Amino acid sequence: RFFEEDSPLIGAVLIHPFREHHRDPLAMTRHGVLELTGNACLGLAPMLSVAWWWGAPADGALGVFPYGVLLAAALGGFATNLFHGWAHAPRVPPPVAWLQRRGLILSARAHAAHHHRGEGAYCVTVGWMNGWTDRLGVFLLLERALRAAGVPAARSPAPRAPV
């Protein structure tokens, strides 16, 4: 709902693929792994660089814990578009289907609500957080915060397309 495909810095690498996926939900399935994960890697690089620059964790489990959380978040961020693409794919490899059936990664069924309702169900890594984030209005609050910060709404928001 915010930013444009020609927005500086993020338009070509974040907004365009998002809008393309809403115009043509199967577009993601025609992209290779590097194209699906490359933008996430670019976004994660500064965060991981700061962690590396900060240095080795302190001794003991509490010193290692923040690095483990950071690496888990980075892995999830890296894999998000893969999981999202598989939720749109007509067929997936058996190990992916197994993970989807168990709710460990986003399934087509869990993601369909986002495309059919057009609002909510924005979590595209696993999908099980959608109930919580939708009930708590997390993304509505984020939209309000962006508007309050003076970020204009998109001239042409993503169309609602079927899965």
Side-chain angles (χ1 to χ4, degrees), residues 23-24 70 109 134 145:
R23 288 188 294 265
D24 177 8
L70 177 68
R109 186 169 166 249
D134 289 353

Side-chain angles (χ1 to χ4, degrees), residues 16-162:
H16 172 73
F18 170 79
R19 299 268 167 82
E20 176 190 46
H21 139 263
H22 273 261
R23 288 188 294 265
D24 177 8
L26 292 177
M28 299 183 84
T29 66
R30 295 187 293 271
H31 297 303
V33 172
L34 291 177
E35 193 171 356
L36 284 174
T37 61
N39 294 341
C41 289
L42 289 173
L44 292 167
M47 176 180 69
L48 293 173
S49 296
V50 168
W52 177 79
W53 177 76
W54 208 291
D59 292 336
L62 290 178
V64 173
F65 178 76
Y67 287 89
V69 170
L70 177 68
L71 289 176
L75 182 60
F78 166 77
T80 291
N81 274 348
L82 288 175
F83 298 167
H84 188 185
W86 287 330
H88 284 283
R91 286 182 307 280
V92 296
V96 171
W98 186 88
L99 292 168
Q100 287 175 328
R101 282 193 306 273
R102 283 153 184 80
L104 298 173
I105 65 173
L106 186 67
S107 68
R109 186 169 166 249
H111 187 51
H114 172 71
H115 284 273
H116 290 293
R117 290 194 326 239
E119 290 187 11
Y122 291 117
C123 299
V124 294
T125 304
V126 291
W128 55 263
M129 289 184 62
N130 284 323
W132 298 348
T133 58
D134 289 353
R135 278 192 295 279
L136 293 172
V138 170
F139 292 100
L140 290 174
L141 290 171
L142 180 59
E143 285 184 13
R144 288 186 189 136
L146 288 169
R147 283 191 183 95
V151 177
R155 292 185 301 267
S156 54
R160 294 180 185 167

